[in-house]
Amino acid sequence: MTRRNGDRLMRMMLMMGLVVPVGMAAQAPAPPVPADSARVTALKAEVQAEVEKMKDFTQQMVDQIFSFGELGFQEVETHQYLVRILRQNGFAVEEGVAGIPTAFMASWGSGKPVIALGSDIDGIPQPSQKPGVAYRSPIIEGAPGHGEGHNSGQAVNITAALALKRIMERDKIPGTIRIWPGTAEELVGTKAYFIRAGLFKDVDVALFTHVGRNLSVSWGAAGGTGLVSVEYTFEGETAHSAGAPWRGRSALDAVELMNVGWNYRREHLRLEHRSHYVIRNGGDQPNVVPRNASVWYYFREITYPEIKELWQIGDTIAQGAAMMTGTKLLPTRVLGAAWPRHFSRPVAEATFANIQKVGLPEWSEDDQTLARAVQKELGVRETGLSTRLGPLGPPVTDNRGGGSDDIGDISWNVPTVTLSFPSNIPGLPGHNWADSIAMATPIAHKGATAGAKAQAMTLVDLMLKPELVASAWSYFNDVQTKEQKYEPLIRAQDTPAIELNRDIMARYRDQMRKFYFDPTKYKTCLEQLGIVYPTIKK
Ligand SMILES: [Zn+2]
């Protein structure tokens, strides 16, 4: 048990009157988490009702952020919008935290426990799509958008927080609610910097939420990977490509040879690994030997040491490519990083109990028709939307790799869970126009409201049952981090890559602005866009 967390556990137990402050061993096991008292049961029913009353507010947030469709590090409108809502509702907001202009930390309340609610906010390149239309139909061809669904999570958290805040004010319940954005999650670009900046130092539990296909939560090692995102830049020498090519040294050759080398090596890497790259700079024009070129890699593995190993192989191949081409490998840049995720068992169990009380939304025939039509369009099983809750997700023991989220870095510093809520359609490819279709429709709205109910109920648990916080830290110290300690993948010299996506957003923002949701004129995004819900192929 670390000293800091031992202190924290002791503080919680002191609060509960379970220990006396002199000479007690901090290693005492956490007391069991009690069942819901009559008061807790009543407050949970009350926050659920509050969230239900706020469903139009939730819908507006989902639609508004969908319409902004901003890419990582360029979430300027999204940032301003969220900060405004939080300040209007009494939160103190610090903007530009960790040196990231579109990151903030909002805080309301006082004292312990401190519960931090987070969710990602960025979109991805290319998936611009009319919501509620079951085939590819971009709002703006080629434009960024929410083809992952990150427009919905802040609505879940803010609605839940405001529902609870009213009750905490009325009943004078101590505790602090923090709200923060997963800025540039697609670039796994910020959460390791939040940790480095100490933003979670006094946080007791982090409740994260992410769009999904069901209302669910898991504990222990999650599936998927962690990763390091590295840019390799080579420097050569220009020459006339026809007149004196022998006098030039091509940085692009180095990029191509690095990629060839990596792709041969790929056969001899673990099956769990994932790696992919894009060439960010391939030179200027063919008749000038490229002096500069760069390639951007994601190295993914399922454990921290294996990520480091993969990264080392990448560095070696890059050096080889420089040697082969007589170019120079410039100092590499880490553009992002994510630890593999591990979630808190006690907090997941509490969340799961709440999920079972909330249940899944009641989907309309229109919702199911849209979902099945999208699945048909993509040639996957036409199962429609989820109608049955799954079990509490156990630790993944047969991890075959997959995606990442830099919530991993937070989960190794503070007890954390990710609540998944049913705002999207099952069976879609991810990072695709099809994943945008549901994200400003009643499917997303109902899914976010269901998520907010579960989140608000777990907040009630954490605010009113100090045993749950103590138990979360006991799991964190005695189980999760017993053998594996957090070491950041970002290096001392790395800084947030806040310039990423600036050029893409600059290209599209003016066109996108015309479609920003205007809740003063329209009830929903669908209404503003004049879309009949659902629109399916005849
Ligand atoms: Zn995501």
Side-chain angles (χ1 to χ4, degrees), residues 56-392:
D56 289 350
F57 170 74
T58 309
Q59 168 252 310
Q60 282 183 1
M61 285 189 277
V62 169
D63 284 4
Q64 190 73 63
I65 299 174
F66 179 88
S67 75
F68 293 147
E70 295 176 301
L71 293 174
F73 287 118
Q74 310 305 325
E75 308 97 331
V76 180
E77 304 277 6
T78 306
H79 173 87
Q80 284 171 3
Y81 172 73
L82 291 171
V83 168
R84 189 170 355 107
I85 289 179
L86 289 163
R87 287 202 174 124
Q88 278 166 359
N89 284 284
F91 279 75
V93 186
E94 193 188 344
E95 296 183 64
V97 292
I100 299 154
T102 52
F104 62 81
M105 186 57 81
S107 189
W108 177 85
S110 62
K112 287 278 182 184
V114 178
I115 310 300
L117 301 173
S119 195
D120 303 326
I121 58 169
D122 56 324
I124 53 165
Q126 304 276 350
S128 176
Q129 169 71 24
K130 288 181 189 146
V133 177
Y135 45 87
R136 190 171 186 278
S137 180
I139 299 173
I140 298 161
E141 179 63 44
H146 280 290
E148 159 86 4
H150 288 175
N151 59 305
S152 53
Q154 288 292 329
V156 169
N157 286 341
I158 293 174
T159 302
L162 297 185
L164 182 73
K165 175 175 172 269
R166 284 172 204 167
I167 289 163
M168 288 174 73
E169 281 171 326
R170 185 194 65 199
D171 294 358
K172 307 210 167 15
I173 297 169
T176 304
I177 304 174
R178 298 260 166 81
I179 293 182
W180 56 276
T183 305
E185 188 281 328
E186 297 299 345
L187 306 165
V188 288
T190 57
K191 296 185 190 95
Y193 291 103
F194 292 169
I195 292 297
R196 184 202 272 180
L199 297 180
F200 286 80
K201 252 206 301 237
D202 66 342
V203 171
D204 292 295
V205 171
L207 295 182
F208 195 65
T209 191
H210 194 282
V211 59
R213 277 77 185 157
N214 208 318
L215 193 58
S216 63
V217 71
S218 69
W219 66 273
T225 57
L227 75 87
V228 64
S229 155
V230 188
E231 183 179 42
Y232 294 91
T233 300
F234 298 89
E235 189 178 85
E237 185 53 273
T238 65
H240 193 297
S241 301
W246 51 86
R247 295 181 62 179
R249 293 291 177 269
S250 170
L252 177 60
D253 288 354
V255 163
E256 292 190 90
L257 284 168
M258 177 176 178
N259 296 343
V260 168
W262 184 263
N263 286 327
Y264 271 94
R265 187 63 178 265
R266 191 186 291 278
E267 184 187 352
H268 310 289
L269 298 173
R270 282 159 40 87
L271 299 180
E272 295 85 344
H273 111 284
R274 299 280 191 285
S275 55
H276 13 261
Y277 56 83
V278 295
I279 296 176
R280 290 192 83 202
N281 173 10
D284 302 307
Q285 57 188 53
N287 64 339
V288 180
V289 173
R291 179 163 184 268
N292 308 102
S294 56
V295 58
W296 178 11
Y297 272 78
Y298 275 18
F299 298 118
R300 301 190 201 240
E301 254 288 3
I302 63 174
T303 67
Y304 167 75
E306 284 154 335
I307 297 166
K308 296 270 280 190
E309 234 169 83
L310 211 55
W311 182 6
Q312 187 55 55
I313 296 168
D315 282 359
T316 305
I317 290 175
Q319 283 153 10
M323 286 168 75
M324 281 188 277
T325 51
T327 60
K328 195 172 139 199
L329 173 63
L330 299 183
T332 58
R333 211 177 147 206
V334 170
L335 298 178
W339 261 60
R341 296 161 294 171
H342 188 112
F343 296 124
S344 170
R345 179 171 197 170
V347 183
E349 285 171 347
T351 303
F352 186 66
N354 296 326
I355 283 173
Q356 286 176 299
K357 287 187 194 116
V358 174
L360 284 164
E362 262 180 51
W363 307 117
S364 68
E365 200 38 55
D366 286 344
D367 300 335
Q368 290 288 15
T369 301
L370 178 72
R372 284 193 293 260
V374 174
Q375 289 162 340
K376 185 177 180 191
E377 180 74 11
L378 295 175
V380 296
R381 274 181 61 211
E382 294 164 48
T383 53
L385 299 164
S386 303
T387 52
R388 266 216 318 257
L389 289 174
L392 170 63

Side-chain angles (χ1 to χ4, degrees), residues 31-66:
V33 180
D36 289 1
S37 62
R39 182 183 179 212
V40 167
T41 304
L43 289 181
K44 283 185 178 178
E46 203 181 343
V47 286
Q48 282 201 76
E50 281 292 319
V51 168
E52 184 62 34
K53 272 190 249 164
M54 285 195 280
K55 68 177 197 295
D56 289 350
F57 170 74
T58 309
Q59 168 252 310
Q60 282 183 1
M61 285 189 277
V62 169
D63 284 4
Q64 190 73 63
I65 299 174
F66 179 88

